[in-house]
Amino acid sequence: MKKRIVKWSLPGALALSIGLLATPVPAKAANPCTVMICMAGMAGVGTPSGGCGSSISHYFSIIRFGFWGYSPSRTAAARLRYLNSCPGSLANEGIITVIQAMYGTIP
Protein backbone atom coordinates (compact mmCIF):
# COMPACT_ATOMS: atom_id res chain seq x y z
CA MET A 1 0.00 0.00 0.00
CA LYS A 2 2.80 2.41 0.91
CA LYS A 3 4.63 1.74 -2.34
CA ARG A 4 1.48 2.55 -4.31
CA ILE A 5 1.01 5.89 -2.52
CA VAL A 6 4.63 6.87 -3.06
CA LYS A 7 4.43 5.66 -6.65
CA TRP A 8 1.54 8.04 -7.44
CA SER A 9 2.37 10.95 -5.14
CA LEU A 10 5.84 11.67 -6.52
CA PRO A 11 4.73 12.22 -10.14
CA GLY A 12 1.77 14.26 -8.91
CA ALA A 13 3.98 16.52 -6.80
CA LEU A 14 6.42 16.90 -9.68
CA ALA A 15 3.64 17.83 -12.11
CA LEU A 16 2.21 20.34 -9.64
CA SER A 17 5.57 22.01 -9.05
CA ILE A 18 6.25 22.25 -12.79
CA GLY A 19 2.77 23.68 -13.32
CA LEU A 20 3.35 26.34 -10.67
CA LEU A 21 6.68 27.29 -12.19
CA ALA A 22 5.21 27.52 -15.68
CA THR A 23 2.30 29.76 -14.63
CA PRO A 24 2.70 33.09 -16.43
CA VAL A 25 2.91 36.20 -14.29
CA PRO A 26 0.23 38.72 -15.31
CA ALA A 27 1.69 41.84 -16.85
CA LYS A 28 1.06 45.20 -15.28
CA ALA A 29 -1.83 46.96 -16.98
CA ALA A 30 -0.78 49.82 -19.23
CA ASN A 31 -1.72 53.37 -18.38
CA PRO A 32 -4.70 54.40 -20.56
CA CYS A 33 -3.13 57.81 -21.24
CA THR A 34 0.06 56.17 -22.51
CA VAL A 35 -2.00 53.84 -24.67
CA MET A 36 -3.90 56.83 -26.09
CA ILE A 37 -0.65 58.67 -26.94
CA CYS A 38 0.88 55.61 -28.57
CA MET A 39 -2.26 54.79 -30.53
CA ALA A 40 -2.50 58.42 -31.67
CA GLY A 41 1.02 58.12 -33.08
CA MET A 42 0.06 54.88 -34.78
CA ALA A 43 -3.08 56.47 -36.26
CA GLY A 44 -1.04 59.36 -37.65
CA VAL A 45 -2.66 61.95 -35.40
CA GLY A 46 0.31 62.40 -33.08
CA THR A 47 4.03 61.87 -33.25
CA PRO A 48 5.05 58.20 -33.17
CA SER A 49 7.41 57.48 -30.31
CA GLY A 50 9.57 54.54 -29.35
CA GLY A 51 8.69 52.20 -26.53
CA CYS A 52 5.04 51.89 -27.46
CA GLY A 53 5.05 48.17 -28.19
CA SER A 54 3.55 47.07 -24.88
CA SER A 55 0.95 49.87 -24.87
CA ILE A 56 -0.20 49.06 -28.39
CA SER A 57 -0.30 45.35 -27.53
CA HIS A 58 -2.42 46.13 -24.50
CA TYR A 59 -4.92 48.06 -26.63
CA PHE A 60 -5.24 45.19 -29.09
CA SER A 61 -5.52 42.67 -26.26
CA ILE A 62 -8.87 44.19 -25.30
CA ILE A 63 -11.16 41.77 -27.14
CA ARG A 64 -14.76 40.85 -26.32
CA PHE A 65 -16.82 37.90 -27.42
CA GLY A 66 -20.52 37.34 -27.78
CA PHE A 67 -22.58 34.21 -28.17
CA TRP A 68 -21.35 33.58 -31.73
CA GLY A 69 -17.70 34.45 -31.11
CA TYR A 70 -15.74 37.64 -31.64
CA SER A 71 -17.92 40.74 -31.27
CA PRO A 72 -16.62 43.86 -33.07
CA SER A 73 -19.15 46.15 -31.38
CA ARG A 74 -18.38 44.90 -27.85
CA THR A 75 -14.64 45.10 -28.54
CA ALA A 76 -14.93 48.68 -29.81
CA ALA A 77 -17.04 49.64 -26.77
CA ALA A 78 -14.55 48.08 -24.34
CA ARG A 79 -11.61 49.80 -26.04
CA LEU A 80 -13.45 53.12 -25.99
CA ARG A 81 -14.22 52.73 -22.26
CA TYR A 82 -10.56 52.00 -21.64
CA LEU A 83 -9.34 55.05 -23.57
CA ASN A 84 -11.97 57.24 -21.88
CA SER A 85 -10.65 56.15 -18.48
CA CYS A 86 -7.70 58.49 -19.07
CA PRO A 87 -8.28 61.79 -17.23
CA GLY A 88 -7.42 63.80 -20.37
CA SER A 89 -9.83 61.94 -22.64
CA LEU A 90 -12.37 64.81 -22.83
CA ALA A 91 -9.72 67.18 -24.16
CA ASN A 92 -8.62 64.55 -26.70
CA GLU A 93 -12.03 63.34 -27.84
CA GLY A 94 -11.21 63.92 -31.52
CA ILE A 95 -8.04 61.83 -31.28
CA ILE A 96 -9.91 59.01 -29.57
CA THR A 97 -12.56 59.12 -32.32
CA VAL A 98 -9.87 58.71 -34.99
CA ILE A 99 -8.22 55.85 -33.07
CA GLN A 100 -11.53 54.07 -32.64
CA ALA A 101 -12.49 54.56 -36.29
CA MET A 102 -9.23 53.03 -37.46
CA TYR A 103 -8.57 50.31 -34.87
CA GLY A 104 -11.63 49.95 -32.65
CA THR A 105 -12.98 46.75 -34.20
CA ILE A 106 -9.77 45.08 -35.36
CA PRO A 107 -9.32 41.77 -33.51
Side-chain angles (χ1 to χ4, degrees), residues 18-50:
I18 290 173
L20 291 176
L21 291 175
T23 305
V25 177
K28 183 181 173 192
N31 180 353
C33 297
T34 305
V35 172
M36 181 175 60
I37 291 168
C38 289
M39 290 303 296
M42 193 171 158
V45 178
T47 306
S49 60

Side-chain angles (χ1 to χ4, degrees), residues 18-97:
I18 290 173
L20 291 176
L21 291 175
T23 305
V25 177
K28 183 181 173 192
N31 180 353
C33 297
T34 305
V35 172
M36 181 175 60
I37 291 168
C38 289
M39 290 303 296
M42 193 171 158
V45 178
T47 306
S49 60
C52 284
S54 64
S55 295
I56 292 170
S57 295
H58 182 74
Y59 177 80
F60 286 113
S61 73
I62 301 172
I63 298 175
R64 298 295 179 260
F65 295 89
F67 181 77
W68 298 107
Y70 171 71
S71 174
S73 61
R74 289 182 183 180
T75 298
R79 289 176 179 174
L80 180 62
R81 275 192 307 274
Y82 180 74
L83 290 177
N84 282 336
S85 68
C86 173
S89 64
L90 288 176
N92 297 304
E93 190 175 348
I95 294 171
I96 292 175
T97 303

